[in-house]
Amino acid sequence: MTNKDARTPASVQDEKSEEAGKSIGWHKAYVEGSRPDLRVPVRQVHLTNGKSVTLYDTSGPYTDPLADTDVRRGLSPLRENWIIARGDTEEYAGRPVRPEDDGLRHTSPRGGLRNLDAVFPGRPRQPRRGRSGRPVTQLAYARRGEITPEMEFVALRENVSPEVVREEIAAGRAVLPVNVNHPEIEPMIIGKRFLVKVNANIGNSAVTSSIEEEVEKMTWATRWGADTVMDLSTGRNIHTTREWVLRNSPVPIGTVPLYQALEKVDGRAEELTWEIYKDTVIEQAEQGVDYMTVHAGVRLPYVPLTANRKTGIVSRGGSIMAAWCLAHHKESFLYENFEELCEILAAYDVTYSLGDGLRPGSIADANDEAQFAELRTLGELNRIARRFHVQTMIEGPGHVPMHKIKENIDLQQEICDEAPFYTLGPLTTDVAPAYDHITSGIGAAMIAWWGTAMLCYVTPKEHLGLPNRDDVKTGVITYKIAAHAADLAKGHPGAQEWDDALSDARFEFRWEDQFNLALDPDTAREFHDETLPAEPAKTAHFCSMCGPKFCSMKISQDIRREHGGDRAEIEQGMAQKSQEFAAAGNRVYLPVAD
Amino acid sequence: MTNKDARTPASVQDEKSEEAGKSIGWHKAYVEGSRPDLRVPVRQVHLTNGKSVTLYDTSGPYTDPLADTDVRRGLSPLRENWIIARGDTEEYAGRPVRPEDDGLRHTSPRGGLRNLDAVFPGRPRQPRRGRSGRPVTQLAYARRGEITPEMEFVALRENVSPEVVREEIAAGRAVLPVNVNHPEIEPMIIGKRFLVKVNANIGNSAVTSSIEEEVEKMTWATRWGADTVMDLSTGRNIHTTREWVLRNSPVPIGTVPLYQALEKVDGRAEELTWEIYKDTVIEQAEQGVDYMTVHAGVRLPYVPLTANRKTGIVSRGGSIMAAWCLAHHKESFLYENFEELCEILAAYDVTYSLGDGLRPGSIADANDEAQFAELRTLGELNRIARRFHVQTMIEGPGHVPMHKIKENIDLQQEICDEAPFYTLGPLTTDVAPAYDHITSGIGAAMIAWWGTAMLCYVTPKEHLGLPNRDDVKTGVITYKIAAHAADLAKGHPGAQEWDDALSDARFEFRWEDQFNLALDPDTAREFHDETLPAEPAKTAHFCSMCGPKFCSMKISQDIRREHGGDRAEIEQGMAQKSQEFAAAGNRVYLPVAD
């Protein structure tokens, strides 16, 4: 049985009654794999013409009315048995959690956890790691020729064979980020051979936002299609916020451990040490962080290359490391200790996201010497990580005008042996703060078409403030558009079926189907109802743009109805049909009262 | 004196006191040309560092506090003397306005003008046309080697020499749409050699909206940067709405005369005749419409090519003509009478926008036989129009996946002898109704980079309803982003200065400058204030994204301050500087109370 077959309706396990499903237009369904505990979630859209369309689903158990979710308990650890069954990991006492993990070394009257509830109340657990520090990564398994349940899971999700998944991971062209301490995850894959993925950033800061808000933003982002979420918290309660997010997240969680390490030294970059950093990485790996941004490419000799830039270093991690290098006039401790870091990550299957600390922060600085010097180092680090069987992706810019975008992906693929590229936009102009989801959505679509595997979203608040719930949604939707546009342009198998289904619905005036198939059904329906609120308008054979008297789609339908679908017949019989058309009153639109 | 010199601050005539200008961050200024009545409006942004930035301005006299504008009187006819001075036009009685021009042939109780006020009350005027029907087009003048005041005006606007403008128009690579009956216009140019332009569509429909709303939408769209406006009204009061819009519009107005002609035959496509159409064209030319979409490329033999499409014919004009061709089984009356139409347009200097009636309405239909068959006919019609000295641009799609976009512009340029391309998006996916400004903004930026001269905006309401004021703004801003991103990618001289000024402001924490330089200052300021509302935050050396304790821009500034801008010096002196840095407390951020 091919995977294609595995997704036919017959094998889709419908958890809800068919009637109930139809009434809301879509419902959560599962595609079963080779074992009962391997069930891949999909979004099943029921059309009014009796057909259904199966869409990729990132929303986790939250959209399954039969799933018993409780944010205080966390999601069920669906991968736990797979991990245990491999027999290559062990539970251990783990690193004790300390007050400073939450930035509480210097407790102020205003500091500290707001209330005791903030401590995650879910099931007690011990961290897990590879026995005797052995690599327990999907890369190691793939190289050994093993197809793990995680690989089968993503094969079903992507509608490809498990062997393709294994091959891409083994070659380093794709990563499957799954920390052994994040068993709650629904596995997904990041690689140019697969659907383009979208990451959403959340995170509290010293200035604003709370734990509750961040957990809410995570579930909200995945509801709209975020494939991974990065927790970029920088304020207090970093450890505890992350615990809540991880235990409730169905998608991989990424972090930048440097942010937390900096909090531990009260924001003094020069006080950072390898030991503090390493301790932070272990802390986060034990919690279950699936991928970590590591700015090991910001080397001492590259810092001066940024001196004549228009906007210097705009990456937080990049500037921390640059400040450290300058303060000590020493090579980066991340670069110097990279092999030891690889050993740690391999023992938990934490994936590297090698950070582009010197990415351009303005059109003027795009593709400059600093940026590409760092990229060459990332290529070198990628090869080291591979020796240690650590899955690796490479981060990319930033701010890049359209004509300089392709050079970024081409160079990255060449220098980094086709490791997955993970870009922030890029923003194609600097002049539109408050619309940088759009300035960057343009660049994101293009670079994804050319091979970028995952896009880090940008919200309307970029450069201006912290995104709220609406901004998160706008950012995710914009990036899902960019990703899907790229899937289409890459000719990803099956990608166009979604467009075709929606266009069919549009042409046939099946408004409800058009809404339900939309990336954002709620807003599409709301916009329609704003002009034509009445229920009958949703079955009308026109819309408010042209009105009932004249609709091009309607005329097209009439042409098709009058003249059939066969061109030869049309050409031959057109004169005759023309007469019939006239006989029928020559009406190309519905007569309406005026 | 070169034009570059003409734009130095010294020659900018500042109409407001400098203090007053500074207080609001920007003000309207004028660049004077070779004669006192040739004054090119610009938006002068005053920066807090004493510098100023000059930006292109489409907003007309409405943003000039010294201009005495009154929507009931209309704008002053600044081009009138230029037109008269040429001595090649004459006033004449003109075609009498009839009730059916406003769709009042069959007046119903609910029909008719809502009140007498709706009739435009401004100055009485007679229409004007070329003496003895002679061509009075900018193309004719350019070919004769004449540089008109209109050409000089756009040369100053575009910061190029008037001779370049003349050459591009003479070669047919650019159009300067200026009907002799629209003297209120501030001339602008559309061609790949110039800044990419944006058109905004307005227009009432049978279903909704009023005259007042449409005039308001026009001024609103130009305020945010629309370079031209198309009035696509289809309901009642078409003639009167257009009169109000024209008399108050500082930008070229485009129409689709077929829409009004169809109203005159009560929506019965088969009752359309060449005479009714021609009469409508003359009616609109006398009012001052600057460019008209003419779907003369929808020929009888192409209609069957659409029969197997997913979404048939989605252009209103295209489907009207297809319906007419089928009903009569005859070749299109627009195609058959194209030469006579050229003679009419030449006598008023109405520019052709040759419509793509068979453009694809879905990803599935992109770049198909129907679309390209029509394009070849548009190439043929472009050559005919050129014989009659009629300025011509070519309309383009539509819905096109990214990998098929370039073929569109390349073929159009080849087939249509480099006539300006004017595209609707294209939309790069069908799956995001309510976000089609974004799905299409992606395609628009790309196709403009590759040579499209003007982009027709798409609003969030596309496919769903009529755009309101907010939608118009969102559509215009999105398309200004696409246009400017393309200007950057094309290396348009001066385009990057805007980005550089904004990025400088960002790096130096000049928040007010960043807002004032933004494409949408209001929203940028509002988003900033949402997180950090206090006034001091606008001078703070941090933002709400990272907070005061740690800001990458701040660190970059410190690096630059500590180490200077010269790389050799930096490399040489870095160890020493490092010690100084440590001596200064190693602080890379502002100490703040916590």
Side-chain angles (χ1 to χ4, degrees):
Chain A
M1 191 180 78
T2 70
N3 282 285
K4 186 75 182 171
D5 292 335
R7 291 186 75 164
T8 54
S11 74
V12 171
Q13 185 184 341
D14 189 337
E15 292 281 348
K16 297 185 62 187
S17 84
E18 200 153 307
E19 282 315 301
K22 271 184 184 168
S23 69
I24 58 157
W26 65 274
H27 80 287
K28 186 101 167 186
Y30 296 89
V31 179
E32 271 190 35
S34 63
R35 42 195 288 175
D37 64 347
L38 204 160
R39 299 162 69 241
V40 177
V42 293
R43 178 183 175 101
Q44 197 78 19
V45 183
H46 305 283
L47 307 184
T48 54
N49 63 3
K51 296 179 185 170
S52 81
V53 176
T54 303
L55 300 178
Y56 194 99
D57 181 55
T58 59
S59 61
Y62 302 105
T63 49
D64 183 347
L66 296 185
D68 176 26
T69 58
D70 175 354
V71 76
R72 297 172 57 85
R73 195 178 61 227
L75 297 175
S76 67
L78 65 86
R79 285 174 58 236
E80 196 164 54
N81 291 336
W82 308 347
I83 297 163
I84 293 170
R86 283 193 278 265
D88 55 359
T89 56
E90 61 189 357
E91 287 189 320
Y92 68 109
R95 171 192 171 285
V97 178
R98 306 178 194 114
E100 59 263 39
D101 297 345
D102 270 325
L104 303 180
R105 191 161 59 163
H106 305 288
T107 307
S108 72
R110 288 190 295 124
L113 297 175
R114 292 185 194 178
N115 51 59
L116 282 177
D117 257 6
V119 176
F120 184 73
R123 69 195 165 86
R125 61 173 196 91
Q126 281 205 317
R128 181 179 289 282
R129 69 182 169 199
R131 284 185 200 280
S132 335
R134 80 171 71 172
V136 292
T137 69
Q138 297 290 320
L139 174 56
Y141 305 143
R143 281 172 155 178
R144 288 205 301 257
E146 289 173 28
I147 290 173
T148 62
E150 288 87 348
M151 295 177 203
E152 185 190 338
F153 193 100
V154 301
L156 285 167
R157 267 190 132 163
E158 300 271 349
N159 211 11
V160 298
S161 80
E163 180 55 22
V164 165
V165 172
R166 192 201 61 76
E167 274 171 18
E168 292 297 299
I169 294 171
R173 289 189 297 264
V175 295
L176 198 166
V178 276
N179 186 322
V180 294
N181 292 307
H182 189 193
E184 300 89 348
I185 219 172
E186 292 171 349
M188 52 78 71
I189 194 162
I190 303 165
K192 63 182 172 181
R193 172 76 180 69
F194 306 100
L195 290 164
V196 175
K197 302 305 187 296
V198 170
N199 170 69
N201 292 334
I202 60 169
N204 61 357
S205 81
V207 175
T208 179
S209 84
S210 70
I211 292 176
E212 295 81 351
E213 278 174 50
E214 298 316 309
V215 174
E216 166 68 10
K217 276 186 202 166
M218 179 274 293
T219 54
W220 182 243
T222 56
R223 173 169 163 195
W224 293 109
D227 294 285
T228 76
V229 167
M230 288 194 80
D231 178 2
L232 302 183
S233 295
T234 57
R236 294 207 179 282
N237 305 336
I238 293 187
H239 180 99
T240 304
T241 301
R242 189 166 50 234
E243 188 69 25
W244 279 84
V245 168
L246 275 163
R247 299 289 74 82
N248 286 290
S249 173
V251 302
I253 296 298
T255 60
V256 185
L258 197 61
Y259 295 175
Q260 188 182 9
L262 189 74
E263 293 287 338
K264 290 181 181 174
V265 293
D266 267 359
R268 295 184 187 89
E270 76 283 0
E271 288 187 13
L272 281 168
T273 62
W274 164 241
E275 286 67 33
I276 289 168
Y277 183 86
K278 173 179 157 181
D279 177 63
T280 306
V281 166
I282 292 171
E283 172 191 344
Q284 298 195 5
E286 290 180 349
Q287 283 187 292
V289 168
D290 301 289
Y291 66 90
M292 296 183 188
T293 296
V294 177
H295 296 93
V298 180
R299 297 188 53 191
L300 178 66
Y302 304 156
V303 180
L305 303 181
T306 67
N308 292 322
R309 276 182 161 185
K310 191 159 280 295
T311 46
I313 300 173
V314 296
S315 147
R316 280 194 237 172
S319 60
I320 295 169
M321 290 313 299
W324 188 92
C325 291
L326 288 181
H328 297 277
H329 192 58
K330 273 189 181 164
E331 185 55 271
S332 154
F333 62 82
L334 293 177
Y335 181 78
E336 299 269 307
N337 294 283
F338 192 75
E339 297 199 349
E340 190 178 347
L341 192 55
C342 289
E343 286 174 356
I344 298 168
L345 267 53
Y348 300 91
D349 201 1
V350 174
T351 296
Y352 270 124
S353 183
L354 294 178
D356 57 335
L358 302 182
R359 68 169 174 266
S362 56
I363 291 298
D365 294 342
N367 295 20
D368 73 353
E369 200 183 344
Q371 184 193 337
F372 288 149
E374 181 188 32
L375 182 59
R376 281 186 292 274
T377 297
L378 299 186
E380 172 197 336
L381 297 174
N382 176 54
R383 283 186 291 276
I384 296 171
R386 199 168 159 73
R387 271 204 281 122
F388 288 85
H389 306 292
V390 181
Q391 302 189 80
T392 304
M393 52 187 174
I394 311 290
E395 293 185 10
H399 292 238
V400 184
M402 281 192 287
H403 63 299
K404 293 186 175 175
I405 290 177
K406 193 156 189 303
E407 185 182 10
N408 277 275
I409 173 78
D410 289 349
L411 264 184
Q412 183 273 338
Q413 288 288 292
E414 180 192 328
I415 291 172
C416 302
D417 305 318
E418 299 184 80
F421 205 24
Y422 168 27
T423 62
L424 179 69
L427 286 71
T428 54
T429 168
D430 305 338
V431 302
Y435 298 85
D436 280 327
H437 57 306
I438 298 176
T439 65
S440 68
I442 293 167
M446 293 170 71
I447 203 163
W449 167 26
W450 291 324
T452 286
M454 184 156 76
L455 302 168
C456 182
Y457 87 167
V458 172
T459 78
K461 290 281 167 59
E462 183 77 13
H463 298 120
L464 297 169
L466 271 190
N468 61 25
R469 198 178 136 100
D470 285 346
D471 299 318
V472 166
K473 177 176 169 182
T474 302
V476 170
I477 297 276
T478 302
Y479 271 69
K480 292 302 275 190
I481 289 170
H484 184 67
D487 289 336
L488 285 176
K490 287 162 71 176
H492 190 91
Q496 198 183 312
E497 285 170 28
W498 187 8
D499 298 72
D500 289 352
L502 196 141
S503 288
D504 281 338
R506 182 171 283 156
F507 189 66
E508 292 165 13
F509 298 103
R510 288 184 272 111
W511 288 99
E512 286 294 342
D513 290 349
Q514 201 181 144
F515 302 147
N516 288 327
L517 284 165
L519 207 41
D520 177 0
D522 302 353
T523 307
R525 187 175 279 109
E526 181 191 318
F527 281 4
H528 175 271
D529 291 359
E530 212 174 280
T531 327
L532 284 179
E535 203 51 39
K538 294 200 196 64
T539 53
H541 279 206
F542 64 92
C543 72
S544 62
M545 288 179 291
C546 307
K549 281 180 67 184
F550 176 63
C551 171
S552 60
M553 292 268 189
K554 182 72 182 60
I555 295 179
S556 281
Q557 285 189 1
D558 290 336
I559 290 170
R560 186 170 302 179
R561 193 176 313 118
E562 293 295 326
H563 303 277
D566 183 70
R567 187 189 304 171
E569 192 228 327
I570 292 171
E571 286 172 352
Q572 214 175 15
M574 201 185 279
Q576 184 205 327
K577 292 281 183 188
S578 164
Q579 290 167 3
E580 292 171 16
F581 189 60
N586 271 337
R587 288 285 174 157
V588 290
Y589 50 84
L590 290 173
V592 289
D594 186 38
Chain B
M1 189 180 77
T2 69
N3 282 286
K4 185 74 184 173
D5 293 333
R7 292 187 73 164
T8 56
S11 74
V12 171
Q13 186 184 339
D14 189 336
E15 292 281 349
K16 296 187 62 189
S17 83
E18 200 152 310
E19 283 315 300
K22 272 183 182 168
S23 70
I24 59 158
W26 65 273
H27 80 287
K28 186 99 167 186
Y30 295 89
V31 179
E32 272 190 33
S34 63
R35 44 195 288 175
D37 65 348
L38 203 159
R39 300 162 69 242
V40 177
V42 293
R43 178 185 175 100
Q44 197 77 20
V45 183
H46 305 283
L47 306 183
T48 54
N49 63 3
K51 296 178 185 170
S52 80
V53 176
T54 303
L55 301 178
Y56 194 99
D57 181 53
T58 59
S59 61
Y62 302 105
T63 50
D64 182 347
L66 296 185
D68 177 25
T69 58
D70 175 354
V71 76
R72 297 172 58 85
R73 195 178 61 227
L75 297 176
S76 68
L78 64 87
R79 286 175 57 237
E80 194 164 55
N81 290 335
W82 309 348
I83 297 165
I84 293 171
R86 283 194 277 265
D88 56 357
T89 55
E90 62 188 359
E91 288 188 321
Y92 68 108
R95 171 191 171 285
V97 178
R98 306 178 195 117
E100 59 262 40
D101 297 345
D102 270 326
L104 302 181
R105 192 161 57 166
H106 304 287
T107 308
S108 71
R110 288 189 295 122
L113 296 175
R114 293 187 193 177
N115 52 61
L116 282 177
D117 258 5
V119 175
F120 184 73
R123 70 193 164 86
R125 63 174 195 91
Q126 281 204 316
R128 181 178 288 281
R129 67 181 171 199
R131 283 186 201 280
S132 334
R134 80 171 69 172
V136 293
T137 69
Q138 297 289 319
L139 173 56
Y141 305 144
R143 280 173 156 177
R144 288 205 300 260
E146 289 173 28
I147 290 174
T148 61
E150 287 87 346
M151 295 177 203
E152 185 189 338
F153 193 100
V154 302
L156 285 167
R157 268 192 133 163
E158 300 272 348
N159 211 10
V160 298
S161 81
E163 180 53 23
V164 166
V165 171
R166 192 201 61 75
E167 274 172 18
E168 292 297 300
I169 294 171
R173 289 189 297 263
V175 295
L176 199 165
V178 275
N179 186 321
V180 294
N181 292 308
H182 189 194
E184 299 90 347
I185 218 170
E186 292 171 349
M188 52 77 72
I189 193 162
I190 303 164
K192 63 182 172 182
R193 171 77 180 70
F194 306 100
L195 290 164
V196 175
K197 301 306 186 297
V198 171
N199 170 70
N201 292 334
I202 60 169
N204 62 358
S205 81
V207 174
T208 179
S209 86
S210 71
I211 291 176
E212 295 82 351
E213 277 175 51
E214 298 316 311
V215 174
E216 165 68 11
K217 275 186 203 166
M218 180 273 292
T219 54
W220 182 244
T222 57
R223 173 168 165 197
W224 294 108
D227 294 285
T228 78
V229 166
M230 288 194 80
D231 177 2
L232 302 183
S233 294
T234 55
R236 295 209 179 280
N237 305 335
I238 294 186
H239 180 97
T240 304
T241 301
R242 190 166 51 233
E243 188 68 24
W244 279 85
V245 168
L246 275 164
R247 298 289 74 81
N248 286 291
S249 174
V251 302
I253 297 296
T255 60
V256 185
L258 196 61
Y259 294 176
Q260 189 182 6
L262 189 74
E263 293 288 337
K264 290 180 183 175
V265 294
D266 266 359
R268 294 186 188 88
E270 75 283 0
E271 288 187 12
L272 281 169
T273 62
W274 164 240
E275 287 66 33
I276 289 169
Y277 184 85
K278 174 179 158 182
D279 176 64
T280 306
V281 165
I282 292 171
E283 170 192 347
Q284 298 195 7
E286 289 179 348
Q287 283 187 292
V289 168
D290 300 288
Y291 65 90
M292 296 182 187
T293 295
V294 178
H295 296 94
V298 181
R299 296 188 53 192
L300 177 66
Y302 304 157
V303 180
L305 302 181
T306 67
N308 292 321
R309 276 182 159 185
K310 191 159 279 295
T311 48
I313 300 173
V314 295
S315 148
R316 279 194 238 171
S319 59
I320 295 169
M321 290 312 300
W324 188 93
C325 291
L326 287 183
H328 297 276
H329 193 59
K330 274 189 182 166
E331 185 55 274
S332 155
F333 63 81
L334 293 176
Y335 182 78
E336 298 269 308
N337 295 283
F338 192 73
E339 296 198 350
E340 190 178 346
L341 192 56
C342 288
E343 286 175 356
I344 298 167
L345 266 53
Y348 300 91
D349 201 2
V350 175
T351 297
Y352 269 125
S353 183
L354 294 178
D356 57 334
L358 302 182
R359 69 170 174 269
S362 57
I363 291 297
D365 293 342
N367 295 20
D368 73 353
E369 200 182 346
Q371 185 193 335
F372 288 150
E374 181 187 33
L375 182 59
R376 280 185 292 274
T377 296
L378 299 186
E380 171 197 336
L381 297 174
N382 176 54
R383 284 187 291 276
I384 295 171
R386 200 169 158 72
R387 272 204 280 121
F388 289 85
H389 306 292
V390 181
Q391 303 190 81
T392 305
M393 52 187 173
I394 311 290
E395 294 185 9
H399 292 238
V400 185
M402 283 192 286
H403 65 299
K404 292 187 176 176
I405 290 177
K406 195 157 189 302
E407 185 182 10
N408 277 274
I409 172 76
D410 290 348
L411 263 184
Q412 182 274 337
Q413 287 287 291
E414 182 193 326
I415 291 172
C416 303
D417 305 317
E418 298 184 81
F421 205 24
Y422 169 27
T423 61
L424 178 72
L427 286 72
T428 54
T429 169
D430 305 337
V431 303
Y435 297 84
D436 280 326
H437 58 306
I438 298 177
T439 64
S440 68
I442 293 167
M446 293 170 70
I447 204 163
W449 167 27
W450 291 323
T452 286
M454 185 156 77
L455 303 168
C456 182
Y457 87 167
V458 171
T459 77
K461 290 279 166 60
E462 183 77 11
H463 297 119
L464 298 169
L466 270 190
N468 61 24
R469 199 177 136 99
D470 285 346
D471 299 319
V472 166
K473 177 176 169 182
T474 301
V476 171
I477 297 275
T478 303
Y479 271 69
K480 292 302 275 190
I481 289 170
H484 183 68
D487 289 336
L488 286 176
K490 287 163 72 175
H492 191 90
Q496 199 183 311
E497 285 170 27
W498 187 8
D499 298 71
D500 289 353
L502 195 141
S503 287
D504 282 338
R506 183 172 281 157
F507 189 65
E508 292 166 12
F509 300 103
R510 290 185 272 112
W511 287 99
E512 286 294 341
D513 292 349
Q514 202 182 142
F515 301 148
N516 288 326
L517 284 164
L519 206 42
D520 177 0
D522 302 353
T523 306
R525 189 176 278 109
E526 180 192 317
F527 280 4
H528 175 270
D529 291 359
E530 210 174 283
T531 327
L532 285 179
E535 203 50 40
K538 294 202 194 62
T539 54
H541 280 206
F542 63 91
C543 71
S544 60
M545 286 179 292
C546 309
K549 281 179 69 184
F550 175 62
C551 170
S552 60
M553 293 268 189
K554 182 74 182 60
I555 295 178
S556 281
Q557 286 189 1
D558 290 335
I559 290 170
R560 185 170 301 181
R561 193 177 312 119
E562 294 295 324
H563 303 278
D566 183 72
R567 187 189 304 171
E569 192 228 328
I570 292 170
E571 286 173 351
Q572 216 177 14
M574 200 187 278
Q576 186 205 326
K577 292 282 184 188
S578 165
Q579 289 167 4
E580 291 171 18
F581 189 62
N586 271 338
R587 286 286 174 156
V588 289
Y589 49 84
L590 289 174
V592 290
D594 185 38

